[in-house]
């Protein structure tokens, strides 16, 4: 647990690392993580890059993230990663929804998807789109998460009815990968990362946040 406590840090107040990095960050409340985004250190400055659910932001770090550095992007690659993020910010037009099926954003910011369903994703799905486009391979084995990973019954039918979409086109993409699972993935660098690996570590991550909340209260 001591090592885990060291590896997950509060981005605004504990990020004293000397070298540049890309990490996945979580915003948390007393119950769970509710948002995921990238925390990036480049040339002694910290940035956040994320999809808020309504817009894409690449800004100096201002939200109170907890992050874990991912070793899948090395410091020398960060300028290229930032350039891709900025292109995505200019071109992408995501719509919020609990869907992901292996799509990506390329280096020019174009959304690449084999299924004709538009850019529909959560904050985590956005991170996966970005990572797959940059790494040019699946970051997660997303098929490990089935539609049952989204616990709200009837969501797919409700969503498709609201937006006048064909549920048959979206069914295979309907899944929920949580912000906490996305953060936990940073403990691994052999791609694609499996849900079974994340499951082995996530209880420790949960305990880490419980302990932090206790000390803050």
């Amino acid at each position: 647990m001591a090592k885990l406590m060291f590896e997950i840090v509060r981005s605004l107040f504990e990020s004293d690392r000397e070298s540049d990095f890309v990490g996945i960050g979580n915003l948390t409340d007393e119950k769970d993580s509710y948002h995921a985004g990238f925390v990036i250190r480049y040339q002694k400055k910290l940035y956040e890059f994320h999809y808020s659910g309504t817009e894409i932001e690449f800004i100096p770090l201002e939200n109170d993230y907890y992050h874990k550095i991912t070793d899948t992007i090395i410091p020398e690659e960060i300028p290229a990663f930032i350039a891709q993020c900025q292109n995505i910010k200019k071109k992408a037009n995501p719509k919020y929804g609990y869907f992901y099926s292996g799509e990506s954003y390329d280096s020019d910011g174009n959304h690449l998807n084999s299924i004709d369903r538009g850019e529909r994703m959560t904050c985590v799905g956005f991170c996966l789109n970005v990572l797959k486009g940059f790494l040019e391979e699946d970051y997660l084995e997303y098929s490990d998460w089935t539609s049952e990973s989204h616990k709200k019954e009837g969501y797919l039918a409700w969503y498709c009815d609201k937006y006048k979409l064909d549920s048959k086109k979206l069914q295979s993409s309907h899944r929920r990968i949580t912000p906490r699972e996305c953060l936990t993935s940073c403990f691994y660098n052999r791609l694609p990362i499996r849900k079974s690996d994340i499951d082995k570590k996530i209880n420790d991550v949960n305990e880490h946040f419980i302990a932090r909340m206790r000390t803050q209260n």
Side-chain angles (χ1 to χ4, degrees):
M1 181 63 72
K3 183 180 180 183
L4 182 64
M5 299 282 280
F6 177 76
E7 291 182 342
I8 297 177
V9 300
R10 194 173 182 183
S11 308
L12 283 169
F13 306 109
E14 300 174 16
S15 187
D16 57 356
R17 187 180 174 97
E18 294 288 330
S19 59
D20 294 340
F21 65 79
V22 174
I24 293 175
N26 273 190
L27 298 180
T28 68
D29 56 25
E30 292 184 357
K31 294 181 179 179
D32 200 0
S33 297
Y34 61 87
H35 183 64
F38 294 103
V39 176
I40 303 165
R41 185 189 189 277
Y42 181 61
Q43 295 184 341
K44 300 182 180 181
K45 295 181 180 179
L46 288 169
Y47 302 91
E48 59 180 285
F49 179 54
H50 69 125
Y51 170 48
S52 69
T54 57
E55 63 179 333
I56 297 169
E57 293 185 311
F58 189 105
I59 58 175
L61 183 70
E62 59 182 36
N63 284 299
D64 191 9
Y65 285 95
Y66 290 88
H67 75 262
K68 165 81 173 75
I69 295 170
T70 172
D71 292 330
T72 60
I73 300 174
I74 60 175
E76 291 77 11
E77 295 174 323
I78 292 176
F81 182 75
I82 290 175
Q84 180 165 327
C85 293
Q86 291 171 335
N87 286 337
I88 292 168
K89 184 179 184 300
K90 291 175 185 176
K91 288 189 177 181
N93 186 30
K95 302 292 187 295
Y96 196 84
Y98 290 93
F99 303 97
Y100 184 71
S101 56
E103 60 267 27
S104 64
Y105 289 112
D106 68 14
S107 59
D108 295 321
N110 300 305
H111 187 247
L112 307 179
N113 187 9
S114 60
I115 301 173
D116 181 19
R117 60 171 180 76
E119 297 175 53
R120 302 183 186 277
M121 62 195 74
T122 62
C123 57
V124 172
F126 178 76
C127 292
L128 298 180
N129 270 274
V130 175
L131 286 166
K132 180 172 181 178
F134 187 76
L135 299 169
E136 298 183 338
E137 60 180 309
D138 284 317
Y139 176 75
L140 293 185
E141 185 55 65
Y142 64 89
S143 62
D144 287 349
W145 286 261
T146 67
S147 60
E148 294 179 357
S149 60
H150 187 268
K151 304 301 183 184
K152 186 175 180 179
E153 187 175 351
Y155 176 85
L156 179 62
W158 169 84
Y159 188 94
C160 291
D161 182 64
K162 180 178 180 179
Y163 294 104
K164 310 303 180 187
L165 301 169
D166 183 354
S167 62
K168 292 180 180 178
K169 285 186 177 182
L170 288 174
Q171 188 171 14
S172 64
S173 302
H174 178 39
R175 54 181 45 87
R176 185 183 186 220
I177 303 169
T178 69
R180 188 65 59 84
E181 288 173 321
C182 193
L183 173 66
T184 306
S185 72
C186 292
F187 286 94
Y188 302 96
N189 56 29
R190 183 177 179 179
L191 305 182
I193 299 163
R194 305 300 302 257
K195 187 177 186 300
S196 57
D197 290 326
I198 291 173
D199 289 344
K200 293 174 185 176
K201 182 69 70 174
I202 200 163
N203 285 340
D204 289 339
V205 175
N206 290 337
E207 288 296 323
H208 165 77
F209 281 104
I210 291 170
R212 294 201 73 131
M213 292 301 173
R214 285 173 181 161
T215 59
Q216 290 174 18
N217 293 331

